[in-house]
Amino acid sequence: MHATPVVNDFSIHVATANGSGSQTANSVLMRSIFQMGVPVSGKNLFPSNIAGLPTWFTIRASRKGYIGRKKEIDLLIAMNPETAREDVMALDAGAAVVYDEPLALAGLRDDLVFYAVPFDKLVTGVCPEPKLRKLVRNMIYTGVAAQLLGIDIDEVRKALVKQFGERKKKAAEMNWQAVLAGQSYASENLPKADPLKVERMDANHGRLIIDGNTAAALGCVFAGATVLTWYPITPSSSLAEAMIDFLGRLRQDPETGKATYAVVQAEDELAAAGMVLGAGWAGARAMTCTSGPGISLMSEFLGLGYFAEIPGVFIDVQRVGPSTGLPTRTMQGDTLTNAIVSHGDTRHPLYFPSNPEECFSMASEAFNLAEKFQTPVFVNLDLDLGMNNWMSDPFEYPELPVDRGKVLSTEDLERLGGFSRYQDVDGDGVAYRTLPGTPHDKAGYFTRGTGHDEHARYSEKADDWIANMDRLSRKFESIRGAIPAPEVRFHPGARVGVVCCGTSRYAMEEACDQLREELGLETSSLRLKAYPFTASLDEFIKAHDRVYVIDQNRDAQLLALMKLDLDPVLLLSLRSVRYYGGLPLDARTVSDEIARQEGIR
Amino acid sequence: MSTPTAPAKKTNRLGFDILPYRGGKTTLCAGCGHNAVTERLVEACWELGVEPWRVAKISGIGCSSKTPAYFLGQSHGFNSVHGRAPAVATGALLANHELRCVLISGDGDTASIGLGQYMHTLRRNPAMLYLIENNGVYGLTKGQFSATSDLGAKSKGGAVNAFTPIDCCLAAIEYGATFVARSFSGDKKQLAALLRAALSHDGLAVVDVISPCVAFNDHEGSTKSYSYMKDHEEPLHEIDFIPFFNDIEVEIEEGATREVSLHDGSRILLHKLEHDYDPSSRLNAVTRLHQASDGDEVLTGLLYLDRSRPSFTRTLNMVDRPLATLPESVTRPSREALERINEEYR
């Protein structure tokens, strides 16, 4: 037994084969630690495959609340013969390994702690029916880990019941027997030889465990979205599916049982985007969700949405690569694309949620922004945020009322005697619109991507085009005042600043602590919550000698966007930290790179 | 002697003269078939007493797609993306199923770049008039073949089309449109009756109109020219349309006239020509279309009608009130509902 126990600060790496039912065992293990009151995160690192290929699940417990991916693995659970050897060889010295006995891994290294478990033998005792053994076999390691780490077995039981729900009692009972088999085997046969330990805390009071896609879907439902059109694509499909589920439960007319929404699974992303535009034009709160390849297909419509000034919410759960390129791996791949997508001069507002609460609130706010400014709005999630389970504060009911923007009614038209669709009446660049179907002879106007004057009449005159483009710029300026401000942590006296957006925050916050604790480098940090940038970013850059911009992509897309938009004088102090391996960003990668560029390591 | 007065303007059932049904001046070529189609559409909407504010005119890109600017000037119009008008129109109908949607497309817009959307729109059967102004050629880009050009047809420059045509009506019958007709822009009476019937249909009404391009496809060797159509048009029947609000008695001669009624009570009378034709038979329609094209004939008339399949928005079981007009009290679930969900994930 180690002299100093390592309490509530470790990562568990579970290596299995895809489709072997390990997800349930991993979720129960993660939830048990969560119920012990310890901050925890879980990340499914899975291949693009239904069954057979290697898959890993990483659970991190952190008393300090760090929930980004931890690069170093402290406990490996090696269930997959195909990767076991490689997984063991990659561990840092001192790590522990729980492994399937026949894999005989103990001889590979002498600087690790090994625990052999005869899974096949144990599962035979739990599950007389050979057919079902595969399904419960993995649950045994949950019991082994609970015993080794000191997780209260009652919490495992509770987590298991939660996981299976009320309806699957029989399955829950069989899995519970597997947990107990693992626990008792470990307690009788595996003397504790590693320092890792879970001890009860109270950090998770009231919190939920939920994935970002589900949270964003809920946000849309509570925003009063009425039209969802989509085309299945990993990693955004679960968002649409969660939304369909919530809509079915929450949005039926109580008297007639009829839907107060429409969902269409379109034939492709082109059609999905076209339906969003048609529905937004005709007055629905319309949205779609997709990923990078879908954005590519939607790009013509996105440009038309900007020029024709049509509201729509586009949720992009970003992933790696076009075509088959790592569809199940995470990336901030569309930061730059989404800001400027389509041809001609186009600019689009972006939200950068970093956790489920923000997925909920920003997805919800995006509808108000889109309708207020009559333009497509992006919500940029990524696979890590969208598909993984996160701790989350409970969702707060949207405080702002639904804002349908400047829409003229029959009564308005009667009072005004008519309107000009593209006239900047209020000086904010946002003109008034009418919806098709408004009973008035002055309601109609003609929508087109080509040039028009402020009365929506066809025009190819240079002056009309310029006037319209300048009004669109004014509108984009107005958007700056309507989006959430960045989260800034100023450290008095710090000469170095760090900037990021979205899920990079976890690595950034932990890396800033690492730099201070390990190297004595104080840093300030700024997390962008939306684009366009606001004055607070300028001020932050001015206040520091060097500012590191974190990107989860090769080409430093967030930095590139800053280069496009900011005063060139500010650019001199900008540096880049990039990661593009497809795994969620870890703090060590960030702190190592900043230390390297600072010349202090 | 009485003071001379201007003759009273003719009005429709809403009391409107034809002016609100007209639009801007056409910018297409003089003699373009599309202009004649536009005129028929103006007349049809006026005669039916369609409320102009209820109409959404939606088009893609091309000569035909410009025409929504030339009719129903009071209505909302949307000249959208090449080949993608069906998605935009479908979206508009999702937002407001009470809209009367008129989609104007061309052969390039529908059968080439837009074929995918066309096929899937056929499957969904949204309630709209889908009008294809079919001239077999790209006009705005100056005379390239489109996907409806017939095999062996000659371009103005002398090139011979080596590829088989896509028949939009065959596809429409095969994949789910519930009203399918073909006509010719030069056949005023037939087109007028078909358009009025199509506008009264509760489902997807595809009307493929051969509409010659005088600039690039009206020469010897073209199969979409005025003279080719005059020689090769083969009408299935003579058509009369009686709108629901017109309560006239018509004597039907047994065996010579078929009467078909639409959802709104309007009636279509199909007077037999050479052969009797039953538009409710999909198999018959497909057979006749194939026979006609094998014989170098262009079959026109009401090819197919299915009154049983519900339109797309009906299949979605939406509330009666258009989604676009639902208030926050209906579209935003309660605080208690959110609290219950929070509890589920604790």
Side-chain angles (χ1 to χ4, degrees):
Chain A
M1 183 98 190
H2 270 259
T4 8
V6 174
V7 179
N8 299 343
D9 183 20
F10 56 84
S11 68
I12 307 169
H13 202 54
V14 185
T16 55
N18 208 25
S20 67
S22 56
Q23 190 72 354
T24 313
N26 298 332
S27 297
V28 169
L29 184 52
M30 177 181 166
R31 187 167 263 285
S32 307
I33 298 171
F34 171 76
Q35 287 169 190
M36 293 285 285
V38 181
V40 68
S41 63
K43 297 194 186 300
N44 190 14
L45 314 173
F46 64 108
S48 176
N49 158 261
I50 297 298
L53 288 183
T55 181
W56 294 268
F57 193 90
T58 297
I59 297 167
R60 180 178 190 184
S62 168
R63 62 175 189 278
K64 290 183 180 167
Y66 298 135
I67 53 172
R69 185 172 70 90
K70 192 181 173 205
K71 210 172 182 179
E72 306 83 5
I73 295 159
D74 301 297
L75 170 62
L76 171 70
I77 300 178
M79 301 296 287
N80 187 356
E82 218 180 297
T83 63
R85 192 188 160 84
E86 204 184 324
D87 288 337
V88 166
M89 297 315 286
L91 294 170
D92 285 350
V97 183
V98 169
Y99 68 98
D100 190 14
E101 199 168 40
L103 297 177
L105 302 176
L108 287 175
R109 285 175 62 171
D110 54 14
D111 56 350
L112 305 175
V113 176
F114 284 97
Y115 301 106
V117 180
F119 284 95
D120 285 333
K121 203 175 117 199
L122 293 176
V123 80
T124 311
V126 176
C127 192
E129 217 175 312
K131 264 200 320 208
L132 298 174
R133 280 176 197 156
K134 191 182 152 224
L135 297 174
V136 295
R137 189 174 183 267
N138 283 320
M139 199 54 81
I140 294 169
Y141 66 67
T142 304
V144 172
Q147 174 65 25
L148 287 173
L149 297 168
I151 300 169
D152 186 341
I153 202 73
D154 286 343
E155 297 296 357
V156 182
R157 167 105 197 155
K158 260 199 273 177
L160 200 128
V161 168
K162 179 96 187 166
Q163 184 72 25
F164 281 91
E166 284 301 309
R167 280 171 299 171
K168 297 183 187 164
K169 279 198 171 135
K170 214 175 141 193
E173 188 49 38
M174 199 163 57
N175 278 280
W176 174 237
Q177 292 308 318
V179 170
L180 290 179
Q183 187 211 17
S184 71
Y185 180 84
S187 93
E188 286 157 25
N189 302 287
L190 306 176
K192 178 80 170 169
D194 67 84
L196 311 176
K197 207 166 166 3
V198 173
E199 275 180 15
R200 225 173 247 287
M201 288 174 63
D202 191 18
N204 299 338
H205 193 71
R207 279 178 168 170
L208 333 172
I209 288 189
I210 195 165
D211 61 272
N213 280 352
T214 303
L218 258 185
C220 297
V221 171
F222 279 83
T226 46
V227 170
L228 163 67
T229 62
W230 67 296
Y231 185 76
I233 179 170
T234 303
S236 75
S237 305
S238 62
L239 199 163
E241 281 162 350
M243 198 159 156
I244 291 165
D245 179 43
F246 288 129
L247 286 168
R249 289 161 59 185
L250 301 171
R251 293 278 298 278
Q252 312 284 358
D253 182 273
E255 277 165 31
T256 61
K258 288 185 171 182
T260 62
Y261 61 89
V263 177
V264 181
Q265 185 187 314
E267 58 270 30
D268 55 27
E269 287 91 345
L270 290 166
M275 289 178 202
V276 169
L277 258 71
W281 177 72
R285 296 210 122 182
M287 63 167 292
T288 185
C289 53
T290 187
S291 190
I295 298 289
S296 299
L297 293 183
M298 291 176 181
S299 69
E300 187 176 13
F301 266 123
L302 285 160
L304 182 63
Y306 175 82
F307 281 101
E309 302 184 62
I310 296 170
V313 172
F314 293 77
I315 301 183
D316 179 6
V317 189
Q318 299 165 96
R319 64 179 229 194
V320 181
S323 175
T324 51
L326 306 192
T328 61
R329 307 294 176 174
T330 196
M331 178 184 187
Q332 293 177 331
D334 308 323
T335 309
L336 186 57
T337 303
N338 290 354
I340 59 173
V341 65
S342 202
H343 54 271
D345 294 313
T346 43
R347 283 295 160 107
H348 308 286
L350 320 172
Y351 282 94
F352 303 124
S354 70
N355 57 27
E357 299 99 285
E358 287 179 351
C359 286
F360 178 85
S361 63
M362 290 180 179
S364 181
E365 279 172 40
F367 285 91
N368 273 0
L369 195 80
E371 290 204 300
K372 215 169 148 184
F373 293 95
Q374 303 173 14
T375 199
V377 171
F378 283 97
V379 184
N380 281 11
L381 276 70
D382 59 29
L383 183 143
D384 182 22
L385 178 56
M387 288 191 74
N388 284 321
N389 276 322
W390 298 79
M391 295 187 304
S392 169
D393 285 333
F395 302 122
E396 285 179 21
Y397 198 72
E399 287 309 320
L400 292 174
V402 166
D403 183 350
R404 307 303 312 266
K406 298 182 185 180
V407 178
L408 297 174
S409 65
T410 304
E411 294 71 36
D412 294 330
L413 291 165
E414 205 53 54
R415 182 168 46 80
L416 297 165
F419 85 115
S420 294
R421 171 67 182 99
Y422 301 108
Q423 194 177 25
D424 189 2
V425 177
D426 303 324
D428 57 357
V430 186
Y432 286 79
R433 67 175 182 141
T434 55
L435 305 180
T438 304
H440 196 278
D441 59 1
K442 295 279 188 342
Y445 69 95
F446 203 82
T447 306
R448 39 166 78 88
T450 41
H452 50 71
D453 63 14
E454 61 180 20
H455 309 293
R457 291 181 303 222
Y458 184 84
S459 169
E460 295 188 19
K461 286 183 191 155
D463 287 349
D464 284 338
W465 184 263
I466 291 168
N468 193 54
M469 295 308 287
D470 290 347
R471 183 180 55 77
L472 288 170
S473 293
R474 275 202 300 287
K475 184 160 101 169
F476 206 65
E477 282 306 310
S478 302
I479 290 173
R480 282 186 218 278
I483 53 172
E487 183 179 82
V488 186
R489 292 182 190 179
F490 261 115
H491 194 279
R495 304 312 312 150
V496 172
V498 191
V499 171
C500 79
C501 68
T503 53
S504 300
R505 72 173 292 184
Y506 302 104
M508 177 178 80
E509 288 162 8
E510 190 179 351
C512 288
D513 289 351
Q514 287 171 345
L515 290 167
R516 183 178 61 251
E517 287 161 14
E518 296 169 13
L519 299 165
L521 178 71
E522 295 290 2
T523 53
S524 304
S525 66
L526 180 146
R527 176 171 69 88
L528 292 160
K529 291 185 179 177
Y531 173 80
F533 304 127
T534 52
S536 51
L537 177 63
D538 297 36
E539 286 158 21
F540 183 84
I541 297 170
K542 279 182 199 152
H544 297 91
D545 294 340
R546 290 172 300 285
V547 173
Y548 292 88
V549 181
I550 302 174
D551 265 294
Q552 295 184 52
N553 51 66
R554 186 197 66 183
D555 293 345
Q557 296 186 21
L558 182 59
L559 179 64
L561 196 53
M562 289 162 70
K563 285 179 178 170
L564 276 178
D565 277 24
L566 300 181
D567 181 344
V569 172
L570 297 173
L571 305 181
L572 296 171
S573 51
L574 299 184
R575 306 281 184 276
S576 178
V577 175
R578 300 161 304 137
Y579 172 76
Y580 43 93
L583 299 177
L585 181 63
D586 67 281
R588 188 55 66 193
T589 295
V590 174
S591 58
D592 278 356
E593 181 59 17
I594 292 176
R596 190 190 68 77
Q597 292 190 41
E598 286 289 306
I600 53 176
R601 181 175 277 167
Chain B
M1 206 176 113
S2 61
T3 325
T5 51
K9 276 188 181 167
K10 242 177 110 183
T11 56
N12 66 7
R13 68 187 176 103
L14 301 178
F16 292 142
D17 62 30
I18 203 158
L19 265 181
Y21 295 87
R22 297 202 192 283
K25 193 172 173 295
T26 177
T27 58
L28 301 178
C29 306
C32 174
H34 300 359
N35 288 332
V37 180
T38 298
E39 279 171 39
R40 298 296 85 73
L41 202 50
V42 167
E43 292 160 7
C45 289
W46 177 71
E47 281 166 18
L48 287 175
V50 172
E51 294 142 317
W53 54 265
R54 205 189 275 286
V55 176
K57 306 172 291 181
I58 295 172
S59 61
I61 297 294
C63 292
S64 55
S65 289
K66 284 172 169 257
T67 65
Y70 316 141
F71 63 90
L72 290 173
Q74 289 184 1
S75 306
H76 277 77
F78 194 165
N79 191 173
S80 70
V81 172
H82 201 12
R84 320 294 173 214
V88 176
T90 303
L93 284 171
L94 295 174
N96 187 347
H97 61 88
E98 291 178 353
L99 292 175
R100 298 284 287 262
C101 198
V102 176
L103 187 153
I104 309 287
S105 184
D107 38 305
D109 199 55
T110 285
S112 295
I113 192 168
L115 190 62
Q117 292 215 341
Y118 180 60
M119 291 293 192
H120 289 278
T121 305
L122 297 174
R123 293 177 58 223
R124 293 190 191 101
N125 189 39
M128 64 165 104
L129 165 60
Y130 191 124
L131 184 56
I132 304 165
E133 299 179 350
N134 181 0
N135 55 19
V137 76
Y138 288 84
L140 278 181
T141 52
K142 305 199 171 180
Q144 300 83 0
F145 286 123
S146 82
T148 66
S149 296
D150 290 306
L151 185 66
K154 238 186 227 155
S155 80
K156 201 176 179 184
V160 175
N161 179 34
F163 308 109
T164 50
I166 286 170
D167 186 324
C168 294
C169 289
L170 270 178
I173 294 162
E174 186 68 32
Y175 296 111
T178 44
F179 180 114
V180 183
R182 174 164 283 144
S183 191
F184 167 44
S185 66
D187 192 339
K188 195 170 169 178
K189 182 171 181 286
Q190 186 200 55
L191 181 57
L194 282 173
L195 287 179
R196 284 183 293 161
L199 283 164
S200 308
H201 175 65
D202 184 25
L204 181 61
V206 170
V207 182
D208 181 35
V209 184
I210 310 301
S211 172
C213 171
V214 290
F216 298 105
N217 207 8
D218 199 28
H219 48 267
E220 185 67 39
S222 159
T223 58
K224 299 274 193 287
S225 66
Y226 282 110
S227 64
Y228 186 89
M229 281 305 292
K230 282 196 179 109
D231 295 344
H232 296 262
E233 184 186 4
E234 178 67 21
L236 283 165
H237 31 232
E238 265 186 35
I239 307 176
D240 277 318
F241 176 80
I242 304 166
F244 69 91
F245 51 84
N246 206 340
D247 206 16
I248 56 164
E249 287 289 325
V250 185
E251 248 178 67
I252 308 259
E253 197 188 326
E254 197 64 35
T257 298
R258 280 177 182 273
E259 179 180 318
V260 193
S261 63
L262 296 174
H263 294 96
D264 68 354
S266 300
R267 291 176 291 163
I268 305 170
L269 302 181
L270 305 173
H271 308 293
K272 181 177 151 183
L273 290 173
E274 217 167 310
H275 308 279
D276 185 34
Y277 184 78
D278 175 8
S280 69
S281 163
R282 172 179 295 186
L283 206 59
N284 190 30
V286 169
T287 307
R288 288 296 299 273
L289 276 168
H290 279 294
Q291 285 168 344
S293 69
D294 288 350
D296 287 336
E297 284 173 344
V298 182
L299 207 58
T300 61
L302 178 61
L303 295 164
Y304 181 63
L305 181 67
D306 170 4
R307 286 164 300 167
S308 63
R309 222 180 124 215
S311 71
F312 181 51
T313 51
R314 289 187 197 279
T315 64
L316 295 174
N317 193 33
M318 294 190 289
V319 289
D320 295 339
R321 196 170 162 184
L323 297 183
T325 65
L326 296 178
E328 181 174 340
S329 58
V330 171
T331 61
R332 176 171 278 174
S334 67
R335 280 176 195 277
E336 295 68 39
L338 183 60
E339 199 29 61
R340 278 197 301 276
I341 288 166
N342 277 332
E343 202 45 51
E344 266 176 49
Y345 285 90
R346 271 199 179 104

